[in-house]
Amino acid sequence: MNDGCDLEVFLSLVERHRRYMYNLALRMTGNEQDAKDVVQDSLLNAYLHLEQFERRANLRTWLNRILVNCALDHLRSRRRRPDVSEPQPISDVADTIASSSPDPERLLASADWRRQVSAAMDTMSPLERVTFALRHFEGCSINEIAQTVGIGNNAAKQHIFRAVRKIRLALEPHWSGR
Amino acid sequence: MNHLSDDDLVLHYYGEDAPDMVAAERHLKSCAQCARAYETLARSLDAVTPPEFVGSVDDLPDLREMIRARLRAHSSPLGVGRSTRWEETGLIALVWLVPLAYPFSLQALFGSARWTQEHVVGIPLVAFALIWACAGPFLAMSAMNRFESHSGLSTRLLVFGALMAAISPALFLFVSRVDASLALNLGVWAWYGALAVAALAAMVRWPDTSYSKEQLSYVHRLTALFLTVFVLAHVINQALAFVSLASYTAMRGVMRGASQQPATYALLVAAVVIQITTGAAVSMKNLRSGSFARNLQTVSGWFLAAFLLVHVLSPVLFSPPTEVSTTAAASASQFDLLATPRSAAQLPFLLLGVAAFLSHVGVYARLAALAYLAEASVRRLSYAGALVGTTVVVAVGLSLCGIHL
């Protein structure tokens, strides 16, 4: 374990990665409070296991790996105490988003749409959600995702397929026939 | 080219279909049906945009205070990390205590079994002694889940202690055989000598192998497939003994005939040697604190390696074969391993062997199943598998104690 002096050095080391970590955590967990908890837990874990950080490795890669595992743990514990709210109907949201006018109506529709996407993502299992977020939002390759999460390439691929199927199931009815 | 499946379209959208990317693009240009499906997919996925964290990330003072508070909770008033060091020392002492006390658990097992013949109330004592004798791998699992770092003397002492605790039932039999085969007559001191050698080995820093985990795992899985056929037939037959001794004896004869053919035997020995060496290398790369599945696979792999070493290599290493047989029922003509002190030593060895095999294959199957099934289904299947495995282990245990239907 590290002593008190190392804490300041550690915090200045991770400072430039924190904004990125908060965004990644938000994309995996879906809400800001959970993202904050995940980032705090992962930074604590990183500090406690600082001696495991190999000098040849990239700090962000190492922090990402810890962050992803913390997010998985967090999502799994969240599933054990579900707080699922009914997704709101979309109505004509898809049409409104498709238009380019940045008026208040469109902004409101955009928020509705985001809620619908968020509800679709809430139906995903923790592994599906994390692998999808890493692939879709972060642009990580399937190989990188498999290594970060600690599963096989094929398993990572299948989780992404299942996640995309859930997204399509929730969103495609609003595109069909248009 | 055939129509593109939904999964092909997803791979194409993310640019993960490298060898077939051009062909897929060409197909999308010529096939209206696939082009429409791809357009719908892309429209849905394009609409899923990344959320941005809008809250403040300037929570450095809070973060600093939170980490300090958590560190204070971890540490004693005498200094940061001191309690963790004491905890680690206690854990190391505990894992080494298991192999040190192992011979006494066998005496307790045999003694309580004899007492049971006179008093029925001795049955719980037999169960307690059996739990004691089989506790090593479970304690090793617990130690592996708590271990904190990958380097340093204390970690090596912990890992080697966990290894010795896990394989005590198998290694004890092996050492006893060496002692008997070489007519050293050291008795229990041969066992303590082996433990001393292991403790010395823990002091040395071991080099990291240059082969990647994937290469080693591939060779490991290949030889495992071959061995699984033999081991599974053995386990099923051993469970069969609970139902019918005659069927058990007949099937054992057939299996022995097959495995004692020179070619088959040479293949078996080679597969076991490859399993042990590749398994040891992979397990040292796999150690991870708090990862239950990985550590279960590592600890069950350690025991399987020691089990196979004793079970398959003994006739090669010790010639002429010693009187002690590792085959469950053959060692005691009345099919009761609690009948003699020598056969009692085989009860935890065989029981843990079956449990280790089922756990090792089960964890691998669970990881492989994640590639094809949803997590929730895999979890349900794992529970069902654990239930079936426990039933098999109990059936084998009862048959080895001379209890049959």
Side-chain angles (χ1 to χ4, degrees), chain B residues 321-391:
Chain B
T322 53
E323 286 172 9
V324 182
S325 167
T326 56
T327 306
S331 61
S333 57
Q334 62 273 57
F335 294 90
D336 178 7
L337 290 184
L338 294 174
T340 67
R342 203 168 234 188
S343 60
Q346 292 179 55
L347 185 57
F349 166 74
L350 288 163
L351 264 186
L352 286 172
V354 175
F357 172 72
L358 295 176
S359 309
H360 204 68
V361 173
V363 172
Y364 177 72
R366 185 183 176 280
L367 290 173
L370 278 172
Y372 307 100
L373 299 168
E375 249 182 309
S377 314
V378 173
R379 198 178 311 121
R380 279 195 289 273
L381 279 174
S382 303
Y383 292 145
L387 191 70
V388 171
T390 308
T391 311

Side-chain angles (χ1 to χ4, degrees), chain B residues 73-371:
Chain B
H74 270 111
S75 60
S76 74
L78 296 172
V80 172
R82 187 159 295 190
S83 70
T84 308
R85 276 196 293 276
W86 276 111
E87 207 176 281
E88 197 174 59
T89 311
L91 207 59
I92 292 170
L94 195 64
V95 289
W96 280 97
L97 190 66
V98 172
L100 284 170
Y102 182 73
F104 302 106
S105 70
L106 296 179
Q107 285 176 8
L109 184 61
F110 179 65
S112 57
R114 280 185 66 188
W115 200 55
T116 305
Q117 288 168 357
E118 293 159 23
H119 309 279
V120 180
V121 286
I123 292 173
L125 283 180
V126 175
F128 175 76
L130 191 58
I131 290 170
W132 176 11
C134 294
F138 300 98
L139 195 82
M141 275 285 303
S142 169
M144 302 309 294
N145 275 338
R146 285 160 181 264
F147 111 117
E148 289 287 335
S149 73
H150 284 273
S151 59
L153 179 64
S154 58
T155 303
R156 285 202 302 278
L157 278 171
L158 183 65
V159 172
F160 268 77
L163 170 70
M164 297 311 287
I167 67 170
S168 282
L171 193 66
F172 185 81
L173 265 188
F174 186 76
V175 171
S176 305
R177 282 182 150 221
V178 173
D179 187 36
S181 164
L182 300 177
L184 298 172
N185 297 322
L186 293 171
V188 79
W189 294 110
W191 172 242
Y192 290 124
L195 289 184
V197 171
L200 283 174
M203 308 280 180
V204 182
R205 197 183 174 88
W206 289 68
D208 196 16
T209 168
S210 57
Y211 293 103
S212 74
K213 205 171 88 179
E214 285 70 29
Q215 288 170 315
L216 291 165
S217 297
Y218 180 73
V219 179
H220 192 72
R221 280 198 290 267
L222 215 61
T223 49
L225 266 177
F226 177 71
L227 282 175
T228 300
V229 177
F230 281 86
V231 178
L232 206 57
H234 235 67
V235 171
I236 292 169
N237 192 37
Q238 204 65 58
L240 199 67
F242 178 57
V243 182
S244 161
L245 287 179
S247 317
Y248 164 81
T249 314
M251 190 166 164
R252 192 191 64 194
V254 173
M255 287 197 301
R256 274 195 172 170
S259 64
Q260 281 171 0
Q261 296 294 320
T264 322
Y265 192 73
L267 271 174
L268 268 175
V269 171
V272 168
V273 171
I274 294 170
Q275 275 286 294
I276 292 171
T277 45
T278 53
V282 171
S283 71
M284 290 313 285
K285 285 171 184 271
N286 245 356
L287 297 177
R288 193 197 285 181
S289 171
S291 177
F292 179 82
R294 277 174 199 275
N295 292 335
L296 175 61
Q297 194 154 36
T298 301
V299 171
S300 57
W302 284 345
F303 191 86
L304 265 184
F307 180 88
L308 291 170
L309 185 82
V310 177
H311 207 73
V312 182
L313 298 185
S314 288
V316 177
L317 293 175
F318 311 112
S319 187
T322 53
E323 286 172 9
V324 182
S325 167
T326 56
T327 306
S331 61
S333 57
Q334 62 273 57
F335 294 90
D336 178 7
L337 290 184
L338 294 174
T340 67
R342 203 168 234 188
S343 60
Q346 292 179 55
L347 185 57
F349 166 74
L350 288 163
L351 264 186
L352 286 172
V354 175
F357 172 72
L358 295 176
S359 309
H360 204 68
V361 173
V363 172
Y364 177 72
R366 185 183 176 280
L367 290 173
L370 278 172

Side-chain angles (χ1 to χ4, degrees), chain A residues 22-81:
Chain A
Y22 276 108
N23 272 325
L24 177 56
L26 173 66
R27 287 160 194 178
M28 289 188 290
T29 59
N31 76 67
E32 295 209 351
Q33 189 49 52
D34 284 351
K36 270 190 163 180
D37 291 345
V38 166
V39 171
Q40 288 195 348
D41 282 352
S42 45
L43 286 177
L44 176 73
N45 272 341
Y47 178 65
L48 289 175
H49 299 100
L50 199 54
E51 73 261 26
Q52 285 179 27
F53 172 64
E54 297 165 68
R55 281 170 199 278
R56 63 177 182 273
N58 180 295
L59 180 62
R60 181 173 284 192
T61 310
W62 183 66
L63 289 172
N64 269 5
R65 192 169 285 204
I66 295 174
L67 185 77
V68 164
N69 283 307
C70 279
L72 272 172
D73 288 344
H74 195 89
L75 288 169
R76 281 172 182 145
S77 66
R78 195 168 76 179
R79 272 166 81 89
R80 282 195 284 273
R81 42 181 173 77

Side-chain angles (χ1 to χ4, degrees), chain A residues 11-30:
Chain A
L11 289 175
S12 64
L13 264 176
V14 298
E15 180 56 27
R16 78 195 67 158
H17 303 289
R18 281 203 306 132
R19 165 67 67 180
Y20 170 81
M21 287 176 81
Y22 276 108
N23 272 325
L24 177 56
L26 173 66
R27 287 160 194 178
M28 289 188 290
T29 59

